[in-house]
């Protein structure tokens, strides 16, 4: 443990809560359409305005390839079901309510993507401890949410039969034994973030969260911690 309660920008680790709230509120096969506003959230390769996907497909996009357009669409479409107010605001409120329900007091969401809002304000904040407990909650209750993050890539189809290839942003998948799930994050304010869960043996899941590293060192940091966990487990046999 090091600075486990320091509150730091979460970047795209935010999408864990986005996917969780959407999963709990709507059916996986609910159809939603990418809006112009959602498509504009994505830099580089993006989903196209007018494409229609099942909610589960968008959640997979958000978690595997960290597509901001997918997370934004999830939030805006589900948010419309939560009342007569602004859909995005209503969904973000639901994210914060869920954090309170789980007693994860450091988690503070201002967006469903985790993108920096400005040069000084992040899209979400939280501690490594609370991020780890969020991962634990998902693994214990809805492990299927994280199952796509075990894949290097996946083809995700829209309702017209066209597909995009979602490539995993976690480039150390094959280096982590018995991986159960993972989520990356990177923005200018956050630096490099990574949270993973793996089975260390004897059906003992371990969650590791690194916040505030760099784009590349978040991966080497986690690999070092995994190695130490394995060493500790083997010496205690």
């Amino acid at each position: 443990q090091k600075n486990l309660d320091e509150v730091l920008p979460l970047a795209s680790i935010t999408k864990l809560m986005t996917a969780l709230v959407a999963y709990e509120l709507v059916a996986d096969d609910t159809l939603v359409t990418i809006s112009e506003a959602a498509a504009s959230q994505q830099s580089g390769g993006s989903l196209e305005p007018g494409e229609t996907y099942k909610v589960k497909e968008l959640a997979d996009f958000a978690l595997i390839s960290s597509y901001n357009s997918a997370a934004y669409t999830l939030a805006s479409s589900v948010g419309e079901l939560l009342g007569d107010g602004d859909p995005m605001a209503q969904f973000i409120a639901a994210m914060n309510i869920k954090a309170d329900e789980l007693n994860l007091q450091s988690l503070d969401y201002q967006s469903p993507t985790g993108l920096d809002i400005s040069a000084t304000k992040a899209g979400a904040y939280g501690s490594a401890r609370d991020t780890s407990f969020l991962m634990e909650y998902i693994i214990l209750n809805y492990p299927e949410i994280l199952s796509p993050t075990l894949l290097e890539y996946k083809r995700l189809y829209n309702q017209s039969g066209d597909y995009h290839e979602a490539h995993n942003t976690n480039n150390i998948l094959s280096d982590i034994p018995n991986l159960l799930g993972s989520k990356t994050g990177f923005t200018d304010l956050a630096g490099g973030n990574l949270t993973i869960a793996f089975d260390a043996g004897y059906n003992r899941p371990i969650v590791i969260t690194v916040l505030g590293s760099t784009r590349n060192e978040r991966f080497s940091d986690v690999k070092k911690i995994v190695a130490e966990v394995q060493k500790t487990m083997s010496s205690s046999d």
Side-chain angles (χ1 to χ4, degrees), residues 115-235:
L115 286 174
D116 294 338
I117 294 173
S118 70
T120 58
K121 184 177 181 181
Y125 293 89
S127 68
R129 184 205 297 268
D130 283 350
T131 298
S132 296
F133 279 124
L134 176 61
M135 279 288 281
E136 178 191 54
Y137 176 81
I138 295 173
I139 288 166
L140 291 177
N141 293 277
Y142 311 112
E144 59 272 22
I145 291 176
L146 291 170
S147 59
T149 69
L150 307 182
L151 306 174
E152 289 187 8
Y153 74 95
K154 182 179 180 181
R155 282 184 175 178
L156 299 170
Y157 290 84
N158 63 25
Q159 290 300 292
S160 297
D162 299 320
Y163 67 85
H164 293 263
E165 287 197 350
H167 293 272
N168 204 315
T169 51
N170 178 7
N171 62 22
I172 57 170
L173 290 177
S174 60
D175 298 322
I176 303 171
N178 307 313
L179 186 67
L180 300 172
S182 69
K183 185 69 196 80
T184 60
F186 180 85
T187 66
D188 290 342
L189 289 179
N193 297 342
L194 178 61
T195 183
I196 70 156
F198 73 105
D199 190 338
Y202 308 105
N203 194 30
R204 183 173 179 181
I206 301 289
V207 177
I208 295 171
T209 299
V210 169
L211 302 179
S213 186
T214 69
R215 185 186 290 275
N216 293 321
E217 288 177 348
R218 56 183 165 167
F219 298 115
S220 57
D221 289 342
V222 165
K223 287 173 65 175
K224 289 175 185 176
I225 299 171
V226 169
E228 288 301 316
V229 169
Q230 291 178 304
K231 185 187 303 183
T232 300
M233 293 290 289
S234 61
S235 64

Side-chain angles (χ1 to χ4, degrees), residues 16 30 73 100 141 160 191 195:
L16 287 173
T30 301
T73 300
D100 289 341
N141 293 277
S160 297
T195 183

Side-chain angles (χ1 to χ4, degrees), residues 1-67:
Q1 299 177 359
K2 181 179 181 182
N3 302 327
L4 70 163
D5 291 316
E6 182 179 1
V7 176
L8 295 168
L10 294 178
S12 284
I13 286 179
T14 299
K15 296 181 176 81
L16 287 173
M17 183 62 87
T18 303
L20 172 61
V21 171
Y23 186 90
E24 290 191 332
L25 292 179
V26 300
D28 274 354
D29 59 356
T30 301
L31 296 178
V32 292
T33 300
I34 308 296
S35 67
E36 292 280 355
S40 70
Q41 294 290 308
Q42 193 72 36
S43 58
S46 75
L47 307 181
E48 298 295 330
E51 287 187 289
T52 299
Y53 291 89
K54 294 179 181 179
V55 160
K56 181 64 167 67
E57 300 290 297
L58 289 179
D60 289 352
F61 267 121
L63 296 181
I64 297 174
S65 290
S66 211
Y67 268 29

Side-chain angles (χ1 to χ4, degrees), residues 69-92:
S69 47
Y72 189 96
T73 300
L74 278 178
S76 60
S77 58
V78 176
E80 290 178 350
L81 307 176
L82 301 180
D84 297 327
D86 176 76
M88 188 61 65
Q90 290 177 160
F91 187 87
I92 293 169

